[in-house]
Amino acid sequence: MIVLVDLLLMLIDLTCSILSAVVQTFLRPRLKSVDGELCLITGAGGALGRLFALEFAKEGAHLVLWDCNAAANERTAELARELGVQVRAYTVDLSKRQSIYEAAERVRAEVGCVSILVNNAGVVAGRRLLDCPDELLERTLLVNCHALFWMTKAFLPQMKAQNHGHIVTVASALGLFSTACVEDYCASKFGAVGFHESLTHELLAEDLDGIKTTLVCPYIVDTGMFAGCEIRKELRSLIPPLEPLYTVQQSMKAILAEQQMICIPLTLIETSSLIPSANVATYRFMGGDKCMLPFIKNIELKTSNGHIKSF
C-alpha cells in the first residue's frame, strides 16, 4: 500500500512538472528579482561575460568578476560601476584549482556570500587532436569542465546553509551533439552538461528548493572564439551565428524565470532532439559535422605565420 501511494505521488509530481513546463513554454513566466544579490561571473572580461555582468547590474545585482585577463576584467568592472552597483574584480586562473579556492576565500572575506554563480568562462585549443599540444587539450578540460567542480565546492556550501542561490552553467550546443576537430571542446562541454544535470538532481533530491539551476546551451555565438566556423552555404543565412547580446538576454530571461535549461535558438536544438533517429542525417545535411574545419584551418594558417590565437 505504501509503495502504491509513493508511486501515485511520484506520478502526480511528474504530471505537474510536465504541465508546468508546457505552461512556461507558452506563457511568459514571472521573473524574479535579483536586486541586492551577490553575483559572481567567470570569464567576465570576455564578450559574453561582460554582457552578463551588465545585464545583472541592470537588475540591481552586485558583482564579483573573475577573469585571467586583468585589464579586460577591470574594463567590465568600470562599465558595471557606471550602472550604480558594487563591483569587485579578481584576476583568477580557472585552470588551477588552488587559484579558484584562494580567490573564493578572498571573496567570502572581502565581499560576502555569493548567491548567484554564473560559470561562463570557456576556452578551446583550436587545433586538430593529433597536432595539439597536450597542455592545450588539458587547459580546455580544466577551464570548461573541471573548474565547475571547484567553483561549486567553493560556493555551494553557503547556498546550502541558507537554502538560497542560483547556479548557472554556460555550456554549448556542442555539449549536446558534437562535430569534427574540436574534441577537447566537445568533451569539456558534454562534461559540463553532465555535471550540471547531476548537480540539479542532487539539489532536488536533498529538497533544497531554494537553490535554482539553469543550463545554457547556445549555438555558435559570434564572439570571435570560433571565427570561420561555417555550416552548409545554403543554410548560413537561415541559421547565422548568434549575436552575443541576444544570447545573453535570452539566457537572462531563463535565469530570472528560474528555467532549468535553455537552448538558443530553441527551434534548432530542441527540434533536432525530438527525432533522435534523424539527428545524424539532419546534422550532416546542415554541414554541422564539418562546420569547424574552416575554423581549424584559420588557426593553422595563423600558427604557421607566427600569429597564434589565444582564447
Side-chain angles (χ1 to χ4, degrees):
M1 184 63 180
I2 295 177
V3 174
L4 289 175
V5 172
D6 286 342
L7 287 174
L8 180 60
L9 291 174
M10 290 176 64
L11 181 60
I12 292 173
D13 184 55
L14 175 61
T15 303
C16 291
S17 296
I18 293 173
L19 290 174
S20 176
V22 171
V23 169
Q24 287 187 14
T25 300
F26 294 99
L27 298 179
R28 185 175 180 179
R30 185 176 66 179
L31 304 182
K32 70 178 180 181
S33 171
V34 294
D35 185 50
E37 300 276 356
L38 185 59
C39 173
L40 189 155
I41 302 170
T42 65
L48 292 184
R50 179 167 295 169
L51 289 170
F52 269 118
L54 296 179
E55 290 299 312
F56 271 105
K58 291 175 185 176
E59 296 292 330
H62 301 303
L63 303 176
V64 174
L65 307 179
W66 284 16
D67 201 287
C68 60
N69 186 326
N73 201 31
E74 186 53 42
R75 177 54 182 158
T76 301
E78 292 172 359
L79 292 171
R81 289 188 186 106
E82 292 176 1
L83 296 175
V85 298
Q86 299 174 19
V87 185
R88 294 291 296 268
Y90 295 81
T91 303
V92 185
D93 185 350
L94 291 180
S95 70
K96 297 178 180 178
R97 182 179 62 222
Q98 197 56 38
S99 178
I100 291 174
Y101 286 158
E102 289 174 358
E105 189 60 39
R106 286 186 59 197
V107 169
R108 283 190 291 271
E110 299 172 2
V111 189
C113 293
V114 170
S115 55
I116 303 174
L117 177 59
V118 182
N119 289 306
N120 162 75
V123 297
V124 63
R127 314 280 186 88
R128 293 176 183 270
L129 177 62
L130 298 183
D131 298 330
C132 187
D134 292 349
E135 54 269 25
L136 285 184
L137 293 173
E138 290 177 338
R139 178 171 174 259
T140 303
L141 271 295
L142 290 170
V143 173
N144 296 2
C145 184
H146 292 189
L148 301 179
F149 291 82
W150 321 139
M151 295 294 294
T152 303
K153 291 186 73 174
F155 294 105
L156 182 58
Q158 294 78 32
M159 295 184 189
K160 280 190 169 186
Q162 301 175 21
N163 190 23
H164 177 74
H166 201 135
I167 297 176
V168 180
T169 302
V170 181
S172 170
L174 292 179
L176 303 175
F177 49 85
S178 59
T179 189
C181 295
V182 281
E183 290 88 348
D184 62 322
Y185 191 79
C186 289
S188 69
K189 292 301 183 178
F190 267 78
V193 170
F195 170 82
H196 181 95
E197 290 183 348
S198 181
L199 176 63
T200 298
H201 287 308
E202 178 180 329
L203 294 172
L204 292 173
E206 295 180 3
D207 293 324
L208 291 166
D209 56 354
I211 304 176
K212 309 301 180 180
T213 63
T214 299
L215 175 64
V216 180
C217 290
Y219 174 60
I220 301 300
V221 185
D222 190 15
T223 61
M225 185 175 186
F226 288 107
C229 172
E230 296 176 346
I231 59 172
R232 182 183 287 271
K233 180 172 62 175
E234 295 81 1
L235 298 175
R236 289 173 197 165
S237 60
L238 296 176
I239 315 174
L242 298 169
E243 289 294 327
L245 181 58
Y246 171 80
T247 303
V248 171
Q249 289 177 337
Q250 292 299 112
S251 301
M252 286 295 297
K253 288 179 182 178
I255 295 166
L256 297 179
E258 297 183 342
Q259 186 175 324
Q260 287 192 354
M261 180 179 183
I262 179 171
C263 295
I264 311 171
L266 182 68
T267 52
L268 172 67
I269 300 170
E270 295 196 347
T271 299
S272 68
S273 67
L274 294 176
I275 317 173
S277 61
N279 273 355
V280 175
T282 302
Y283 200 43
R284 293 185 68 181
F285 171 76
M286 292 172 54
D289 59 327
K290 299 179 180 178
C291 67
M292 289 295 171
L293 295 180
F295 159 68
I296 296 295
K297 188 175 181 179
N298 282 348
I299 299 300
E300 290 174 343
L301 182 62
K302 292 177 180 179
T303 303
S304 64
N305 290 335
H307 303 291
I308 302 176
K309 188 175 179 63
S310 176
F311 297 105

